[in-house]
Amino acid sequence: MATKKFKTEVTDLLQLIIHSLYSNREIFLRELISNASDAIDKLKYLSLVDGSLKGFSFEPRIDISFTEDGKRTLTIKDNGIGMNEEDLNSNLGTIASSGTRKFLSSLTDEQKKDSNLIGQFGVGFYSAFMVSDKIEVISRKAGEDKAFRWTSDGKSSYEIEEAERSEQGTTIILHLTEDGYTFANRYEIDSLVKKYSDHIAYPIYLEYDKVNYNYEKKDDKGEPEKTSEHVVEQINTCSALWRRPKSEIKDEEYKEFYKNNYYDTEDPLFYIHTKAEGATEYTTLFFIPQKAPFDMNYADYRPGVKLYVKRVYITDDDKTLLPTYLRFVRGIIDSEDLPLNVSREILQENRVMASIRNSSVKKLLSEFKKISENNPELYDKFIKEYNRPLKEGLYSDYANRDALLELVRYHSSSRDGYVSLKSYKEHMPADQKSIYYLTGGKEETLKASPLLEAYKKKGYEVLIMDDDIDEIVISSVYEYEKLPLKAINKAAAMDDLKEEGDEKEKEEKKDLVEKIKKALADKVKDVRISSRLVDTPAVVVNDDNDPSAQMQRIMKQMGGPEMGDVKPILEVNASSPLIRKIEQSSDEEYVKTLSSIVLSSAMLQEGIMPSDPVAYTKAISELLSK
Ligand code: ADP
C-alpha cells in the first residue's frame, strides 16, 4: 500500500470547499452523480469509435445505496469508464485543470472566504469531504483486469492499493460524518436526485430496505409484525427529452413534457427546440404558454427557464438566462461548455452564457416573426397575451429593437384589430412622411380625439397607443425603417399638415392669438392657429419636450417628482364659430370667459381634468344666463 501526499493545491482546495460551500453541502451528491454520468458518457463514446473498446457492450446505470447501522455510509456506483492506478493518482490526487490551479493561487485570504468565488470552478469529487471523514474509491478501468482502491480522510494524504471489482466502473463509498448522517436516508436521496439530477440520461437506482408492517399479526407486545424487503428502485425519470434528436420526438411528447414540468393543464401555444453546434454547444427547448402566466406582471414572478450543464440542473435565475421581458417563456437551456459549479454571480459575466443568451433571444424573436408571417391566427393569440412584455423589450433591449419593432402591434384610427408597423407603412399614402401615433388614454377616448380629424381627412392612419406603457416606451423609439415616429398630441406633428396659405392665415390672425393669450394669461404655454382641426374649435397639445398629461399622471402615480406646471399649448381653429366670436368681441370679460371655456373643453376632450373645474362650470353658467 502506498501512502501519498496530496499536492498542496488540493489541500488548499479542500479547505476552501469545506468552508465556503458548507451551507450548500447537499450538492456533493449532484457532483458525484454527474461524474458517474460523465464516466458512462466516456465509455459509451469509446464503445462507438475505433479503438480497443469498440463494440464494448454494457447497460449503463448508476446505483446508490446506504447503510444506516453503525458507521453510516453512502455508496454511489457506476459502470462507466473507470480509473486505473495512474488515473486515480492524477485525477484524485491533483487538480487537473491548470486554470483552476492558477485561479486558486491568485486568491487572497479575504477572497477565499467568499463563497461566490468558489463557484467558478468544478469542485467536483472533493465536495464529498463536506459530509465524509473518509472516502473509498474502488475502480476498475474498462478493458483492464486490475481494480484499485483509493482511500483518504481528505486531510493531507491518500492511499492506493489493489482491490477487487467484478466489472468496469467506479464505486465511491462515503463514510459519513455526524453532520452527513442525514444523507443516509431514502427520502433525502430521492429528493436530491429529483431536484438536481432528474434529467441525467442514465437510470439512477436507489437500493434500500423497505419495512412492511403486518397488522394482522401482532407480536406479544401488540406491535404489528415487521418484515423487511430489499428494494431496488429507479428514482430519476431520465427524461432529458431535449437531448434527443428533434426528428425522433413526437409532438405529443413535447406537449406532455411541457404539462408535466410547467404545471400547466393546457398544451403550449408552440415550442422551439434548437440544437446549436459550433463555437458554443448547447441545446434549448422553449415553450410559450397559451395564457400569459398569472404572475407575469408582478415583480416577484416565478422564473420559467432552467439552466442545465450537461443535463445537470444549475439555476433558474432567469434574469441571467434571458432578458426579463421574455419572462413568459418556459423551458431549458442545456450547455456543454459551462463549468458545473458556475455560480449565479459568475454566470452574469460568463462569456459562454452571454453568447447562449444572445443567440437564444435572437432565436425566439425570429421564431415569433416567422409565426407572424406564416400563421397569423396563431400570432394573434400570441400577441394578445404577450404584446406588453415585448413592448418592454423595445425599451430595454436596444440591440434587438429592430426585431421587436416587427413584433409589437397597435390599434389603429382607421382599422379594427391590431396593426403592425410594417402594415402601417404599406398603407401610407405617397405624400405621408412620418408615422403618427396618439397616446394617453383608453382606446375609445383616443379614437374620438379631435386631433385625428385632419389626419383622417388626408388619409393618414394614426396608431392608437392605449397601453399604459406605450407612452414611456414609444418616446424612446424615434423611427421605424427611417420613418420618424410622431406623437400627434405634440406641437411638432402639426408641421407635417401645413398647407399653402397657412403662413398667411397665421399673419392675419396674429391679433386673435394675442387676444386669447392675454385672456388666458399664465394658463397656457402658447396659443397657435391650428392646421389640423376641421370641426373642433380647439385642442391642447404639448410642447415637444414636455411630458404629456398621461405621462405626468403616471409619474405622479409612481411617486415621481411633481412636475410643476407643464402648461399645454392651445391650438385654435380660426374658422370655428366659437373662435370667431372671440375674434369679433371687444368685451374683455366675455373674451376671458369664452377663452377659458375653450381651453377647459379642449382639455376634457383629451381626458384631462381642467385645473379649476369650479371656475369652468361657473364660466359656463355665467355665459348661459347672459
Ligand atoms: P471534474 O469532474 O470537474 O473534472 P472531479 O474532481 O469531480 O473534477 O473529478 C476529477 C476527475 O476524476 C474527473 O475529471 C474524472 O476524470 C475522474 N473521475 C471522477 N469520478 C469518476 C468516476 N465516477 N468514474 C471515472 N472517473 C471519475
Side-chain angles (χ1 to χ4, degrees):
M1 190 192 295
T3 301
K4 298 195 177 177
K5 286 230 164 308
F6 281 125
K7 298 265 164 60
T8 51
E9 75 266 4
V10 174
T11 315
D12 281 357
L13 178 59
L14 283 170
Q15 285 313 306
L16 200 54
I17 291 166
I18 289 169
H19 286 134
S20 39
L21 287 180
Y22 194 76
S23 60
N24 196 17
R25 59 194 193 283
E26 63 182 31
I27 59 149
F28 82 90
L29 189 63
R30 170 188 88 183
E31 298 289 326
L32 296 182
I33 290 174
S34 162
N35 279 351
S37 166
D38 286 348
I40 295 171
D41 279 343
K42 281 180 201 158
L43 182 55
K44 255 197 132 174
Y45 173 76
L46 291 175
S47 73
L48 296 171
V49 297
D50 278 341
S52 59
L53 291 170
K54 187 171 172 139
F56 189 95
S57 140
F58 72 116
E59 285 282 329
R61 64 183 286 155
I62 297 165
D63 282 276
I64 304 178
S65 59
F66 56 93
T67 56
E68 287 170 289
D69 302 329
K71 177 73 194 171
R72 293 180 205 194
T73 62
L74 179 61
T75 301
I76 293 106
K77 191 171 117 192
D78 68 71
N79 58 357
I81 183 77
M83 289 177 276
N84 59 21
E85 186 172 13
E86 203 189 323
D87 295 333
L88 285 168
N89 267 316
S90 57
N91 294 340
L92 304 185
T94 58
I95 294 170
S97 138
S98 61
T100 305
R101 212 172 308 157
K102 247 174 117 184
F103 173 75
L104 195 60
S105 60
S106 74
L107 292 183
T108 62
D109 284 346
E110 213 26 60
Q111 284 172 322
K112 282 179 187 170
K113 285 188 199 127
D114 180 353
S115 64
N116 293 328
L117 285 165
I118 189 115
Q120 285 196 37
F121 49 88
V123 289
F125 171 78
Y126 301 104
S127 61
F129 279 110
M130 289 188 292
V131 295
S132 324
D133 44 31
K134 183 174 137 189
I135 298 178
E136 288 176 72
V137 178
I138 301 143
S139 196
R140 177 170 157 193
K141 194 160 183 167
E144 298 184 12
D145 311 325
K146 279 189 182 163
F148 296 90
R149 173 186 286 108
W150 177 100
T151 318
S152 174
D153 61 4
K155 298 239 157 62
S156 59
S157 64
Y158 62 91
E159 282 159 8
I160 293 186
E161 61 190 333
E162 272 194 40
E164 287 294 316
R165 201 181 192 281
S166 59
E167 56 160 14
Q168 90 290 344
T170 303
T171 304
I172 294 177
I173 305 170
L174 308 181
H175 296 260
L176 299 171
T177 59
E178 224 161 294
D179 273 7
Y181 275 13
T182 45
F183 296 103
N185 174 301
R186 172 190 161 193
Y187 302 103
E188 184 72 25
I189 296 168
D190 189 59
S191 91
L192 288 180
V193 167
K194 291 207 159 65
K195 178 168 175 192
Y196 292 114
S197 315
D198 201 39
H199 299 291
I200 289 284
Y202 309 110
I204 302 171
Y205 295 97
L206 178 61
E207 223 181 302
Y208 60 94
D209 288 320
K210 191 174 173 185
V211 180
N212 298 311
Y213 294 94
N214 185 351
Y215 292 93
E216 308 282 297
K217 266 193 183 170
K218 305 244 161 104
D219 61 15
D220 23 317
K221 283 185 200 137
E223 303 279 330
E225 186 188 70
K226 269 202 290 194
T227 51
S228 94
E229 179 191 356
H230 197 68
V231 178
V232 180
E233 185 183 61
Q234 185 177 336
I235 50 173
N236 64 331
T237 48
C238 272
S239 59
L241 177 84
W242 65 90
R243 291 223 149 203
R244 287 164 45 199
K246 265 160 95 164
S247 57
E248 286 177 16
I249 310 175
K250 293 194 205 81
D251 185 47
E252 260 326 295
E253 288 182 272
Y254 281 117
K255 289 177 178 168
E256 278 310 307
F257 180 87
Y258 169 76
K259 287 189 276 193
N260 288 336
N261 288 281
Y262 301 97
Y263 315 102
D264 200 343
T265 50
E266 282 184 295
D267 288 339
L269 203 54
F270 53 91
Y271 50 83
I272 304 161
H273 189 184
T274 315
K275 193 163 200 145
E277 267 148 3
T280 36
E281 235 182 271
Y282 63 91
T283 303
T284 54
L285 175 55
F286 294 129
F287 296 92
I288 308 301
Q290 295 262 356
K291 290 265 167 310
F294 76 97
D295 56 357
M296 184 171 80
N297 293 326
Y298 298 167
D300 58 346
Y301 63 88
R302 195 173 57 195
V305 176
K306 286 184 173 159
L307 175 70
Y308 286 81
V309 173
K310 300 186 183 111
R311 294 185 298 277
V312 176
Y313 169 72
I314 303 292
T315 177
D316 65 358
D317 178 26
D318 75 328
K319 290 182 186 73
T320 52
L321 306 182
L322 285 179
T324 16
Y325 71 90
L326 291 173
R327 61 189 175 274
F328 56 89
V329 177
R330 299 314 189 216
I332 278 143
I333 298 177
D334 189 355
S335 155
E336 288 297 315
D337 306 316
L338 285 167
L340 249 186
N341 241 335
V342 70
S343 74
R344 291 177 178 193
E345 289 73 13
I346 300 308
L347 259 187
Q348 283 168 357
E349 286 139 33
N350 184 289
R351 261 210 238 132
V352 176
M353 189 63 233
S355 131
I356 296 176
R357 178 180 146 120
N358 286 339
S359 348
S360 297
V361 174
K362 290 214 157 45
K363 178 76 193 173
L364 282 163
L365 300 185
S366 77
E367 285 297 319
F368 298 163
K369 172 129 188 272
K370 265 193 220 155
I371 291 173
S372 77
E373 290 162 351
N374 304 332
N375 193 342
E377 214 173 287
L378 181 61
Y379 196 73
D380 261 8
K381 284 191 191 166
F382 170 79
I383 208 67
K384 228 177 107 225
E385 300 294 321
Y386 307 115
N387 206 9
R388 189 192 157 108
L390 293 176
K391 285 174 182 171
E392 286 172 29
L394 283 179
Y395 187 75
S396 59
D397 187 1
Y398 187 78
N400 290 300
R401 179 175 286 175
D402 287 344
L404 285 158
L405 278 172
E406 298 296 344
L407 299 175
V408 293
R409 297 288 183 266
Y410 298 102
H411 292 298
S412 146
S413 60
S414 54
R415 284 185 271 170
D416 287 335
Y418 279 124
V419 173
S420 68
L421 288 166
K422 190 174 176 198
S423 134
Y424 180 96
K425 195 181 168 196
E426 285 162 4
H427 275 72
M428 278 168 51
D431 67 333
Q432 188 181 340
K433 298 287 178 293
S434 311
I435 294 175
Y436 299 105
Y437 66 85
L438 181 59
T439 56
K442 292 206 190 81
E443 190 186 349
E444 299 72 40
T445 321
L446 295 178
K447 279 189 165 173
S449 168
L451 282 167
L452 294 172
E453 289 171 7
Y455 297 87
K456 279 190 183 150
K457 210 171 133 202
K458 282 190 130 276
Y460 295 176
E461 187 173 15
V462 176
L463 294 173
I464 302 295
M465 301 199 177
D466 56 329
D467 207 333
D468 350 325
I469 69 161
D470 280 335
E471 174 148 6
I472 299 171
V473 167
I474 208 69
S475 59
S476 71
V477 180
Y478 301 105
E479 55 175 36
Y480 168 75
E481 294 197 341
K482 303 248 155 54
L483 290 170
L485 267 73
K486 292 187 181 167
I488 65 167
N489 53 0
K490 297 265 174 178
M494 187 168 72
D495 296 345
D496 295 8
L497 298 172
K498 281 220 171 96
E499 284 179 2
E500 254 174 76
D502 281 358
E503 281 309 311
K504 214 175 125 222
E505 189 188 12
K506 230 186 194 171
E507 242 342 275
E508 284 168 12
K509 301 292 175 191
K510 236 176 160 178
D511 292 345
L512 169 64
V513 166
E514 283 311 315
K515 204 174 191 177
I516 302 173
K517 246 194 224 176
K518 199 174 150 213
L520 293 174
D522 53 357
K523 288 194 207 132
V524 289
K525 194 162 185 174
D526 199 5
V527 176
R528 290 176 192 167
I529 299 295
S530 182
S531 320
R532 52 183 153 190
L533 297 176
V534 183
D535 301 321
T536 313
V539 286
V540 286
V541 295
N542 283 103
D543 209 358
D544 298 324
N545 296 319
D546 282 346
S548 71
Q550 165 87 348
M551 181 79 109
Q552 292 169 50
R553 206 154 46 214
I554 293 175
M555 302 287 242
K556 213 167 160 187
Q557 274 167 8
M558 295 192 321
E562 194 65 47
M563 299 237 150
D565 345 309
V566 181
K567 292 180 203 159
I569 295 170
L570 183 71
E571 277 187 28
V572 296
N573 177 358
S575 50
S576 92
L578 190 56
I579 303 299
R580 281 230 191 96
K581 262 192 184 159
I582 297 179
E583 193 176 16
Q584 284 153 10
S585 168
S586 51
D587 176 347
E588 231 174 83
E589 268 316 301
Y590 183 59
V591 166
K592 228 178 173 173
T593 313
L594 273 190
S595 301
S596 86
I597 290 174
V598 166
L599 173 64
S600 298
S601 311
M603 290 175 83
L604 281 170
Q605 258 163 24
E606 303 302 318
I608 312 163
M609 192 66 175
S611 54
D612 190 352
V614 178
Y616 174 62
T617 38
K618 212 171 134 200
I620 288 191
S621 37
E622 231 167 72
L623 196 65
L624 290 175
S625 58
K626 256 194 188 159

